[in-house]
Amino acid sequence: MPQIFGGLFWENLVSGDEYFTLQQGLFRAGFIQGIQLRVAHPCFTPGLADDKSWLRKILSRLPGKEVVIHCGAENIGVDFGENFDELGVFGRHSSFYTWENWNFETLRWSLRIAKETQELGYNARGIVVHPGYGESKADYISFSRVVSSLAAFSGNNILLENVPPIVGKSFYPPDEDTSPWSRSSYWGFGGTPEDMEHLFGSLGLGWKCLIDFTHLAVMVNQAKKGFMAIPEKWKDINQAVADYLALPHSPVCHFSGIPPEGILIDTHDHLANFSPAVKEALRTMEIICLEIPFDPKNSETARQIIRDFRQLYL
């Protein structure tokens, strides 16, 4: 039976805030068995990198014996393709950093935290990254930046997460703030099985993907919409699941539901939607990181969501 992991930002763990208290309670009550910890650039928590004893004291708060480290992604300005700064976070720091340094320092910090957790006796199950974004599927300049950036960290158990392949302003509701975007659309490398295989071929042996089944379902919706960059065969979620499972992949995965047909963006609030293909795949995993909204004001809601998920999928 797979373990279920909750999630925290590194900042939540540092401050010991209400989100940390909620996750700690879910762990103690047996609803989760560990944590996926998202790590942002070290400037988000200044001073900690130089104080090893305090760093270890913070990490020792992690519940369980295993942890998944998620290196911050495009929502905090990390993009190895150097195109997509979703919320304008890197842009606000660009007078002090090049984009390459911002990306590298975030990944180095994630690796440092993973190393410290290992030395404390935890089993760090990998460092998850979003590979990066280009202007299109054929943006070979951005693709080469992704490959050269990641290749510099080869051998560090970095897991490449599939993202929705097409990101478009027109997919979002009118009130969504896309003002930091420099383009109307982007291509997420590794967002189809074919594209992930191409990435592996360029990086060399030893790399694995971490399958986000919600992102996979978004890819299926995009294929059904008829985008030429996504082969028609992936209109079928059974085929999409089988083709990702055929790639070298981690026994750790992400899931936050199956977005209804027509939803072309990553969402985290459709956990009650069912897919037999995804159920079968989830049951082969060792760890399922639930990337769902956790309301620290209402722990019972979180418990019920996890109960329902277990009944539906496990």
PDB file of all heavy atoms in Angstrom, residues 120-138:
ATOM      1  N   LEU A 120      20.801  13.431   9.068  1.00  0.00           N
ATOM      2  CA  LEU A 120      19.998  13.358  10.298  1.00  0.00           C
ATOM      3  C   LEU A 120      19.285  12.018  10.446  1.00  0.00           C
ATOM      4  O   LEU A 120      18.625  11.777  11.452  1.00  0.00           O
ATOM      5  CB  LEU A 120      18.971  14.493  10.333  1.00  0.00           C
ATOM      6  CG  LEU A 120      19.488  15.871  10.743  1.00  0.00           C
ATOM      7  CD1 LEU A 120      18.433  16.938  10.455  1.00  0.00           C
ATOM      8  CD2 LEU A 120      19.864  15.896  12.225  1.00  0.00           C
ATOM      9  N   GLY A 121      19.385  11.163   9.413  1.00  0.00           N
ATOM     10  CA  GLY A 121      18.769   9.843   9.496  1.00  0.00           C
ATOM     11  C   GLY A 121      17.484   9.693   8.704  1.00  0.00           C
ATOM     12  O   GLY A 121      16.869   8.621   8.727  1.00  0.00           O
ATOM     13  N   TYR A 122      17.067  10.750   8.020  1.00  0.00           N
ATOM     14  CA  TYR A 122      15.900  10.635   7.139  1.00  0.00           C
ATOM     15  C   TYR A 122      16.329   9.990   5.818  1.00  0.00           C
ATOM     16  O   TYR A 122      17.502  10.014   5.450  1.00  0.00           O
ATOM     17  CB  TYR A 122      15.306  12.012   6.830  1.00  0.00           C
ATOM     18  CG  TYR A 122      14.671  12.708   8.005  1.00  0.00           C
ATOM     19  CD1 TYR A 122      15.420  13.547   8.821  1.00  0.00           C
ATOM     20  CD2 TYR A 122      13.324  12.541   8.280  1.00  0.00           C
ATOM     21  CE1 TYR A 122      14.847  14.205   9.894  1.00  0.00           C
ATOM     22  CE2 TYR A 122      12.735  13.204   9.350  1.00  0.00           C
ATOM     23  CZ  TYR A 122      13.501  14.029  10.158  1.00  0.00           C
ATOM     24  OH  TYR A 122      12.929  14.677  11.210  1.00  0.00           O
ATOM     25  N   ASN A 123      15.358   9.456   5.099  1.00  0.00           N
ATOM     26  CA  ASN A 123      15.596   8.966   3.754  1.00  0.00           C
ATOM     27  C   ASN A 123      15.031  10.003   2.790  1.00  0.00           C
ATOM     28  O   ASN A 123      13.819  10.102   2.621  1.00  0.00           O
ATOM     29  CB  ASN A 123      14.916   7.614   3.544  1.00  0.00           C
ATOM     30  CG  ASN A 123      15.192   7.031   2.167  1.00  0.00           C
ATOM     31  OD1 ASN A 123      16.054   7.517   1.445  1.00  0.00           O
ATOM     32  ND2 ASN A 123      14.448   5.991   1.801  1.00  0.00           N
ATOM     33  N   ALA A 124      15.899  10.799   2.197  1.00  0.00           N
ATOM     34  CA  ALA A 124      15.467  11.799   1.212  1.00  0.00           C
ATOM     35  C   ALA A 124      15.252  11.084  -0.114  1.00  0.00           C
ATOM     36  O   ALA A 124      16.199  10.602  -0.730  1.00  0.00           O
ATOM     37  CB  ALA A 124      16.505  12.903   1.075  1.00  0.00           C
ATOM     38  N   ARG A 125      13.993  11.002  -0.556  1.00  0.00           N
ATOM     39  CA  ARG A 125      13.627  10.152  -1.683  1.00  0.00           C
ATOM     40  C   ARG A 125      13.880  10.779  -3.048  1.00  0.00           C
ATOM     41  O   ARG A 125      13.500  10.220  -4.068  1.00  0.00           O
ATOM     42  CB  ARG A 125      12.150   9.749  -1.554  1.00  0.00           C
ATOM     43  CG  ARG A 125      11.853   8.889  -0.332  1.00  0.00           C
ATOM     44  CD  ARG A 125      12.567   7.552  -0.407  1.00  0.00           C
ATOM     45  NE  ARG A 125      12.157   6.787  -1.559  1.00  0.00           N
ATOM     46  CZ  ARG A 125      11.258   5.797  -1.526  1.00  0.00           C
ATOM     47  NH1 ARG A 125      10.686   5.462  -0.377  1.00  0.00           N
ATOM     48  NH2 ARG A 125      10.934   5.150  -2.615  1.00  0.00           N
ATOM     49  N   GLY A 126      14.504  11.922  -3.085  1.00  0.00           N
ATOM     50  CA  GLY A 126      14.824  12.560  -4.357  1.00  0.00           C
ATOM     51  C   GLY A 126      14.526  14.039  -4.316  1.00  0.00           C
ATOM     52  O   GLY A 126      13.815  14.519  -3.430  1.00  0.00           O
ATOM     53  N   ILE A 127      15.118  14.754  -5.255  1.00  0.00           N
ATOM     54  CA  ILE A 127      14.882  16.188  -5.394  1.00  0.00           C
ATOM     55  C   ILE A 127      14.090  16.389  -6.679  1.00  0.00           C
ATOM     56  O   ILE A 127      14.589  16.111  -7.777  1.00  0.00           O
ATOM     57  CB  ILE A 127      16.196  17.000  -5.433  1.00  0.00           C
ATOM     58  CG1 ILE A 127      16.940  16.900  -4.106  1.00  0.00           C
ATOM     59  CG2 ILE A 127      15.917  18.472  -5.715  1.00  0.00           C
ATOM     60  CD1 ILE A 127      17.897  15.752  -4.021  1.00  0.00           C
ATOM     61  N   VAL A 128      12.861  16.833  -6.545  1.00  0.00           N
ATOM     62  CA  VAL A 128      11.968  17.003  -7.692  1.00  0.00           C
ATOM     63  C   VAL A 128      12.210  18.366  -8.325  1.00  0.00           C
ATOM     64  O   VAL A 128      12.270  19.377  -7.616  1.00  0.00           O
ATOM     65  CB  VAL A 128      10.497  16.906  -7.245  1.00  0.00           C
ATOM     66  CG1 VAL A 128       9.564  16.957  -8.461  1.00  0.00           C
ATOM     67  CG2 VAL A 128      10.252  15.661  -6.414  1.00  0.00           C
ATOM     68  N   VAL A 129      12.324  18.397  -9.655  1.00  0.00           N
ATOM     69  CA  VAL A 129      12.410  19.677 -10.369  1.00  0.00           C
ATOM     70  C   VAL A 129      11.456  19.667 -11.551  1.00  0.00           C
ATOM     71  O   VAL A 129      11.175  18.612 -12.137  1.00  0.00           O
ATOM     72  CB  VAL A 129      13.835  20.006 -10.873  1.00  0.00           C
ATOM     73  CG1 VAL A 129      14.839  20.021  -9.738  1.00  0.00           C
ATOM     74  CG2 VAL A 129      14.272  19.057 -11.969  1.00  0.00           C
ATOM     75  N   HIS A 130      10.938  20.848 -11.902  1.00  0.00           N
ATOM     76  CA  HIS A 130      10.286  21.046 -13.189  1.00  0.00           C
ATOM     77  C   HIS A 130      11.408  21.325 -14.191  1.00  0.00           C
ATOM     78  O   HIS A 130      12.203  22.237 -13.969  1.00  0.00           O
ATOM     79  CB  HIS A 130       9.330  22.231 -13.148  1.00  0.00           C
ATOM     80  CG  HIS A 130       8.131  22.011 -12.278  1.00  0.00           C
ATOM     81  ND1 HIS A 130       7.101  22.923 -12.212  1.00  0.00           N
ATOM     82  CD2 HIS A 130       7.795  20.992 -11.447  1.00  0.00           C
ATOM     83  CE1 HIS A 130       6.178  22.475 -11.383  1.00  0.00           C
ATOM     84  NE2 HIS A 130       6.583  21.307 -10.904  1.00  0.00           N
ATOM     85  N   PRO A 131      11.504  20.569 -15.281  1.00  0.00           N
ATOM     86  CA  PRO A 131      12.656  20.732 -16.170  1.00  0.00           C
ATOM     87  C   PRO A 131      12.846  22.154 -16.687  1.00  0.00           C
ATOM     88  O   PRO A 131      13.971  22.646 -16.721  1.00  0.00           O
ATOM     89  CB  PRO A 131      12.354  19.757 -17.317  1.00  0.00           C
ATOM     90  CG  PRO A 131      11.507  18.700 -16.684  1.00  0.00           C
ATOM     91  CD  PRO A 131      10.662  19.422 -15.684  1.00  0.00           C
ATOM     92  N   GLY A 132      11.781  22.804 -17.107  1.00  0.00           N
ATOM     93  CA  GLY A 132      11.922  24.167 -17.607  1.00  0.00           C
ATOM     94  C   GLY A 132      11.029  24.422 -18.802  1.00  0.00           C
ATOM     95  O   GLY A 132      10.357  23.519 -19.306  1.00  0.00           O
ATOM     96  N   TYR A 133      11.054  25.655 -19.277  1.00  0.00           N
ATOM     97  CA  TYR A 133      10.112  26.096 -20.300  1.00  0.00           C
ATOM     98  C   TYR A 133      10.819  26.744 -21.478  1.00  0.00           C
ATOM     99  O   TYR A 133      11.854  27.387 -21.338  1.00  0.00           O
ATOM    100  CB  TYR A 133       9.118  27.093 -19.694  1.00  0.00           C
ATOM    101  CG  TYR A 133       8.191  26.452 -18.696  1.00  0.00           C
ATOM    102  CD1 TYR A 133       8.591  26.269 -17.369  1.00  0.00           C
ATOM    103  CD2 TYR A 133       6.944  25.985 -19.081  1.00  0.00           C
ATOM    104  CE1 TYR A 133       7.761  25.648 -16.453  1.00  0.00           C
ATOM    105  CE2 TYR A 133       6.105  25.360 -18.168  1.00  0.00           C
ATOM    106  CZ  TYR A 133       6.513  25.192 -16.864  1.00  0.00           C
ATOM    107  OH  TYR A 133       5.690  24.573 -15.965  1.00  0.00           O
ATOM    108  N   GLY A 134      10.203  26.566 -22.652  1.00  0.00           N
ATOM    109  CA  GLY A 134      10.654  27.227 -23.862  1.00  0.00           C
ATOM    110  C   GLY A 134       9.534  28.044 -24.464  1.00  0.00           C
ATOM    111  O   GLY A 134       8.390  28.018 -23.992  1.00  0.00           O
ATOM    112  N   GLU A 135       9.853  28.757 -25.522  1.00  0.00           N
ATOM    113  CA  GLU A 135       8.834  29.527 -26.221  1.00  0.00           C
ATOM    114  C   GLU A 135       7.912  28.606 -27.013  1.00  0.00           C
ATOM    115  O   GLU A 135       6.751  28.944 -27.260  1.00  0.00           O
ATOM    116  CB  GLU A 135       9.505  30.536 -27.164  1.00  0.00           C
ATOM    117  CG  GLU A 135      10.309  31.597 -26.419  1.00  0.00           C
ATOM    118  CD  GLU A 135      10.936  32.616 -27.350  1.00  0.00           C
ATOM    119  OE1 GLU A 135      10.694  32.532 -28.584  1.00  0.00           O
ATOM    120  OE2 GLU A 135      11.651  33.502 -26.849  1.00  0.00           O
ATOM    121  N   SER A 136       8.415  27.446 -27.394  1.00  0.00           N
ATOM    122  CA  SER A 136       7.638  26.445 -28.114  1.00  0.00           C
ATOM    123  C   SER A 136       8.340  25.107 -27.973  1.00  0.00           C
ATOM    124  O   SER A 136       9.454  25.022 -27.442  1.00  0.00           O
ATOM    125  CB  SER A 136       7.508  26.821 -29.593  1.00  0.00           C
ATOM    126  OG  SER A 136       8.768  26.664 -30.236  1.00  0.00           O
ATOM    127  N   LYS A 137       7.710  24.064 -28.497  1.00  0.00           N
ATOM    128  CA  LYS A 137       8.316  22.733 -28.473  1.00  0.00           C
ATOM    129  C   LYS A 137       9.637  22.708 -29.232  1.00  0.00           C
ATOM    130  O   LYS A 137      10.541  21.935 -28.906  1.00  0.00           O
ATOM    131  CB  LYS A 137       7.334  21.732 -29.071  1.00  0.00           C
ATOM    132  CG  LYS A 137       7.754  20.282 -28.985  1.00  0.00           C
ATOM    133  CD  LYS A 137       6.673  19.383 -29.557  1.00  0.00           C
ATOM    134  CE  LYS A 137       7.059  17.908 -29.448  1.00  0.00           C
ATOM    135  NZ  LYS A 137       5.992  17.026 -29.989  1.00  0.00           N
ATOM    136  N   ALA A 138       9.756  23.565 -30.244  1.00  0.00           N
ATOM    137  CA  ALA A 138      10.961  23.593 -31.096  1.00  0.00           C
ATOM    138  C   ALA A 138      11.993  24.624 -30.655  1.00  0.00           C
ATOM    139  O   ALA A 138      12.909  24.936 -31.405  1.00  0.00           O
ATOM    140  CB  ALA A 138      10.546  23.871 -32.543  1.00  0.00           C
TER     141      ALA A 138
END
